[in-house]
């Protein structure tokens, strides 16, 4: 079972889409578990202040280190993995999703305003992870993205166990085009090879399509693939 703990100023966002469909079912079956911690509950003054101005100037506010550290210290048991969703972090990818899906616990901190005080990142050994080169208003949508990618890898979540094995990134390539019924739609038919029943030929066709698409759309992946 994967235990995901979310530190957020907006606990009401969760589980949101992660509580529905297959993921909701997996939650009920205890394949994964979610706990949402409201960072504001760990503020120490009577106004429940969570943020303050930035030293050195700048218009933005930061989440205070004492409040965030308090929320972590009161909830984390042992040495658990702590991730702060941040545009400055290591870029999230399928490999990272797989690694985290093998952990027992993952803690995700959703930032807001301009982010969090640097000292808490260092003192609590927090890893920074980004979901892409763009700026969001808060870490919650990034946490949804990460958890979505992670949860579908947990055994028993997807009906068809093999369905995660042939997808984009699994072999370093993007996925080949796929077709379903009807065989002719708006006068377009599906590629003949897929109707041939020749499994070796189909495999070759799919690989060559994957290679062409990757070369065209993702030169970065293509360079890596060619090296291996
Ligand atoms: N001042 C920061 C951006 C703050 S955005 C900087 O320039 O790096 C506010 C919050 O949104 C962040 O604390 C973070 O938790 C979240 N966030 C924004 N963009 C993100 C991204 N690409 N990946 C993950 N989290 C992100």
């Amino acid at each position: 079972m994967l235990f995901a703990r979310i530190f957020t100023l907006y606990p009401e966002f969760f589980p949101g889409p992660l509580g529905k469909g297959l993921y909701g079912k997996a939650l009920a079956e205890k394949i994964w578990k979610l706990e949402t911690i409201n960072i504001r509950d760990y503020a120490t003054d009577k106004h429940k202040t969570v943020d303050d101005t930035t030293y050195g100037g700048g218009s933005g506010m930061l989440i205070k280190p004492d409040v965030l550290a308090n929320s972590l210290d009161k909830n984390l048991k042992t040495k658990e993995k702590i991730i702060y969703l941040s545009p400055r972090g290591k870029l999230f990818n399928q490999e990272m999703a797989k690694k985290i899906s093998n952990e027992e616990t993952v803690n995700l901190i959703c930032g807001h305003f301009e982010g969090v005080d640097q000292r808490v990142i260092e003192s609590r050994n927090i890893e920074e992870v980004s979901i892409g080169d763009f700026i969001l208003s808060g870490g919650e949508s990034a946490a949804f993205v990460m958890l979505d990618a992670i949860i579908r890898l947990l055994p028993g979540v997807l009906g068809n166990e093999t369905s995660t094995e042939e997808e984009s990134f699994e072999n370093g390539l993007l996925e080949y085009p796929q077709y379903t019924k009807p065989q002719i739609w708006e006068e377009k038919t599906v590629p003949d090879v897929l109707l041939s029943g020749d499994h070796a030929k189909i495999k070759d066709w799919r690989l060559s399509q994957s290679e062409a698409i990757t070369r065209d759309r993702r030169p970065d992946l293509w360079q890596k693939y060619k090296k291996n």
Side-chain angles (χ1 to χ4, degrees), residues 84-87 111-115 129-132 134-139 142:
Y84 165 47
L85 282 316
S86 153
H112 258 275
F113 322 115
E114 280 312 307
V129 174
S130 166
I131 63 155
F134 40 77
I135 308 292
L136 304 165
S137 62

